[in-house]
Amino acid sequence: AAPADAAAVARAPPGLACRTTSSGTSYYPPTWARAAGGHVQRATTARPGRVYSPPRRWKPGARQASPPKRSSSGGRGGAAKEPGQVTRALTLQGAQQVVAILRGYKLIENRSWEISTGWYAIHAGKQRISDDRAERVRQVWPDAPPEDSLPHSAIVGLAYIQERRTPEECAPGYVWARGPICHLITKAIEFDKPVPCSGRPGLWVIEERELDLVRAEVARAGAAALRCFDLRPAGV
């Protein structure tokens, strides 16, 4: 390939490089000057100000895919503003913990990473509750249902995370303020019929089939199922 002439350089769109090949002059983002058979990507498939990646099977003249769209609040990208918009779930070990959240006995969910304000599905993992967590449940809820009588490997309801605090900013001695990040839960909806599914680490996206069932449970529960909690025990 020969260097581009001055006229071709002058015609190059802002931010694109210029090169002359056997089939004419081509323009391409300088970050991927990838050539194939003496050709490079033509300017008609590139627009200044956007980020481009070559196709998996790069061919002369191949069109570039558009960048992914940002998720809006309540979409697959994160927190939901309304219960019916929930798309992500959080798995907890022990069904007693999950039901304690949904009934207001556990006002804080502790994580090492921040969870944004909004609604999330609460999933009871397949593992039974650990001894130390079971003891904390007994301290705040002496007549809690037995662990084995509660659903596991299922989405049991929704919870609303209002804000984040450190353990030092919560009530001294509050049994659930363990941190490092304390997420305060102000509202919840418990499902009449839990939605069976496997959990995952972190905030995970609910699959379409289970998501339909979750939304059906939210609609069935209605406003009457919404519980709002008094956060004074947690020091709020």
Side-chain angles (χ1 to χ4, degrees):
D5 57 32
V9 172
R11 292 194 301 268
L16 298 185
C18 176
R19 183 175 182 177
T20 300
T21 68
S22 59
S23 59
T25 300
S26 298
Y27 304 96
Y28 55 93
T31 54
W32 57 274
R34 182 175 180 176
H39 298 279
V40 294
Q41 186 71 30
R42 292 191 175 277
T44 54
T45 65
R47 298 177 186 174
R50 302 179 77 177
V51 179
Y52 298 89
S53 299
R56 290 183 181 180
R57 288 178 171 267
W58 191 90
K59 296 179 180 180
R63 298 186 65 83
Q64 296 298 313
S66 299
K69 295 181 179 179
R70 290 178 177 268
S71 298
S72 59
S73 179
R76 294 240 172 219
K81 291 183 178 180
E82 300 295 336
Q85 297 174 338
V86 164
T87 59
R88 290 184 180 262
L90 190 66
T91 297
L92 278 70
Q93 181 196 35
Q96 278 188 331
Q97 274 203 114
V98 172
V99 178
I101 284 178
L102 299 177
R103 299 186 187 179
Y105 293 101
K106 185 176 188 289
L107 300 173
I108 287 177
E109 174 57 21
N110 300 286
R111 296 282 157 162
S112 60
W113 37 273
E114 290 189 355
I115 303 174
S116 300
T117 298
W119 284 97
Y120 299 92
I122 304 298
H123 176 269
K126 65 180 180 180
Q127 293 185 347
R128 269 43 181 176
I129 194 168
S130 62
D131 291 340
D132 60 328
R133 292 189 177 103
E135 176 57 31
R136 288 196 286 274
V137 171
R138 282 192 292 270
Q139 290 181 40
V140 298
W141 192 11
D143 56 347
E147 174 75 11
D148 288 337
S149 70
L150 298 172
H152 293 80
S153 295
I155 294 173
V156 186
L158 309 181
Y160 185 83
I161 292 177
Q162 177 65 43
E163 60 178 284
R164 298 168 294 279
R165 294 192 176 193
T166 64
E168 294 74 23
E169 293 173 321
C170 300
Y174 182 59
V175 67
W176 297 113
R178 303 179 64 83
I181 302 174
C182 300
H183 298 88
L184 277 78
I185 298 167
T186 57
K187 296 179 283 189
I189 297 173
E190 185 175 355
F191 292 167
D192 288 336
K193 186 178 180 181
V195 177
C197 62
S198 299
R200 297 177 221 162
L203 279 175
W204 47 275
V205 177
I206 306 169
E207 298 294 334
E208 289 296 334
R209 179 180 176 278
E210 286 77 24
L211 187 58
D212 289 341
L213 297 174
V214 166
R215 288 175 173 167
E217 283 299 311
V218 172
R220 183 180 299 113
L226 177 65
R227 292 188 175 114
C228 298
F229 306 133
D230 179 3
L231 295 183
R232 284 178 293 179
V236 179

